Amino acid sequence: MNLQQKKTSAPDTTVLEKLRASGLRPTRQRLALAKLLFGRGHCHVTAEGLFNEAKQTHVNVSLATVYNALHDFTAKGLLREISVDSSSSYFDTNTDDHHHFFFEGTGELQDIPPDSVRIAALPEAPGGSAISRVDVIIRVRD
Amino acid sequence: MNLQQKKTSAPDTTVLEKLRASGLRPTRQRLALAKLLFGRGHCHVTAEGLFNEAKQTHVNVSLATVYNALHDFTAKGLLREISVDSSSSYFDTNTDDHHHFFFEGTGELQDIPPDSVRIAALPEAPGGSAISRVDVIIRVRD
DNA sequence: ATAGCTGCAAATGCTTTGCAAGGCC
DNA sequence: GGCCTTGCAAAGCATTTGCAGCTAT
């Protein structure tokens, strides 16, 4: 489609920095995928979805490499994985604390503005264990 | 493969009623599974887990039938499906509005007491769509 | 040079399906 | 009897893995 590089995207150097800073070797494939992911505003992708975007942009990557890259990025804190639907995993380029709408009909995710959900009275984790994350998913029919 | 009844479980008639009321034909397999699910306090199961419980109780069911039953029960509102982990689906015998702890190490789920989480300022669903459910999952390391 | 990546295809694991045989009303 | 259910095995997906060849440093 019309996914050519726009001047609005982050410059390649930024993405390169991001990879270097995280300790991941900036290979051609990872750079291309990182550019797709981080070059625009925040987005939610599946492995399959990113793979297709890559194909359309004439970036040669195998699906296995997409999975590897997504997991590597997630392990380094560049992405966040979200489980809403057991049929496939979503990855979010926004790693800040925030929550999601999930459109049951289309399977799309959308960020909820950070202040419109507030959680009062968060319970202690049982047995002195540490809370690693709180996920709020608002499922909407569409 | 005769099922013996335990006096500690809910009486069979209760489970039978439950199935009849929902319009599901109370077959031997569904009755046995329903008894495992609803005969004790609330619990969270996976298909595989329920299948193993059935085996240990000398209840003869195939894994496919367990999946069918779980989905049938869910469709009739007797169970609630929860997505926390893309590797497998959980089913909750508690269909009331409530939330969960997820123990990342063991993959276990635990109910959060209903009043210890309170959500303030729930946003409107975009585009006039209706909220079908709000899931809060607190992930804890253990 | 070499440790780390990639690609392919095969393998895995959860879940669904097709269809003949069986069971509930 | 008729129709819904079951069971098995096979098929389907999303995801992972093994390994030979490639590449960034």
Side-chain angles (χ1 to χ4, degrees):
Chain A
M1 305 253 307
N2 40 5
L3 286 183
Q4 17 221 198
Q5 13 193 96
K6 313 170 173 180
K7 35 195 177 258
T8 52
S9 328
D12 295 13
T13 53
T14 305
V15 170
L16 208 161
E17 284 312 312
K18 223 171 163 138
L19 290 185
R20 270 199 219 294
S22 70
L24 290 171
R25 192 184 281 185
T27 63
R28 179 168 46 80
Q29 292 84 341
R30 296 216 266 229
L31 268 170
L33 294 174
K35 210 147 161 289
L36 284 176
L37 289 169
F38 307 116
R40 302 165 299 178
H42 287 310
C43 62
H44 308 96
V45 299
T46 60
E48 197 73 32
L50 183 57
F51 179 61
N52 289 329
E53 270 190 75
K55 267 202 295 213
Q56 290 166 11
T57 329
H58 311 296
V59 172
N60 250 28
V61 279
S62 74
L63 184 54
T65 297
V66 172
Y67 275 103
N68 286 336
L70 287 173
H71 287 141
D72 294 342
F73 292 174
T74 302
K76 299 299 185 179
L78 270 40
L79 290 177
R80 178 173 143 178
E81 190 170 359
I82 306 170
S83 292
V84 265
D85 181 6
S86 55
S87 73
S88 69
S89 282
Y90 290 75
F91 294 84
D92 190 342
T93 57
N94 182 357
T95 55
D96 295 338
D97 230 322
H98 70 288
H99 304 296
H100 296 95
F101 285 117
F102 176 64
F103 296 87
E104 294 177 331
T106 62
E108 304 257 312
L109 277 176
Q110 184 176 119
D111 284 1
I112 296 178
D115 290 328
S116 53
V117 170
R118 211 171 317 119
I119 300 181
L122 199 64
E124 270 307 303
S129 39
I131 290 180
S132 98
R133 198 166 102 190
V134 178
D135 285 342
V136 177
I137 294 162
I138 302 184
R139 291 166 193 275
V140 302
R141 278 184 280 273
D142 54 342
Chain B
M1 54 182 85
N2 293 332
L3 330 171
Q4 24 231 71
Q5 21 203 45
K6 304 179 177 159
K7 31 208 163 222
T8 49
S9 332
D12 293 12
T13 52
T14 305
V15 170
L16 208 160
E17 284 311 313
K18 223 173 162 133
L19 289 185
R20 268 200 219 295
S22 70
L24 290 170
R25 191 183 283 184
T27 62
R28 176 169 47 81
Q29 292 86 342
R30 296 215 267 230
L31 269 170
L33 294 175
K35 210 148 159 288
L36 283 176
L37 290 169
F38 307 116
R40 302 164 301 180
H42 287 310
C43 62
H44 308 97
V45 299
T46 59
E48 198 73 32
L50 183 57
F51 179 61
N52 288 329
E53 270 190 75
K55 267 201 295 212
Q56 289 166 13
T57 328
H58 311 297
V59 173
N60 250 24
V61 278
S62 73
L63 183 55
T65 297
V66 172
Y67 275 104
N68 286 338
L70 287 173
H71 287 142
D72 294 341
F73 291 174
T74 302
K76 299 299 186 181
L78 271 40
L79 290 178
R80 178 173 143 178
E81 190 171 0
I82 305 170
S83 293
V84 265
D85 182 6
S86 55
S87 72
S88 68
S89 282
Y90 289 75
F91 294 85
D92 191 342
T93 58
N94 182 357
T95 56
D96 295 339
D97 231 321
H98 70 288
H99 304 296
H100 297 94
F101 285 116
F102 176 65
F103 296 88
E104 294 177 332
T106 62
E108 304 258 312
L109 276 176
Q110 184 177 119
D111 283 2
I112 296 178
D115 290 328
S116 53
V117 170
R118 211 171 318 118
I119 300 180
L122 199 63
E124 270 307 302
S129 39
I131 290 179
S132 99
R133 198 166 103 191
V134 177
D135 285 343
V136 176
I137 294 163
I138 302 185
R139 291 165 192 274
V140 302
R141 278 183 282 272
D142 54 343

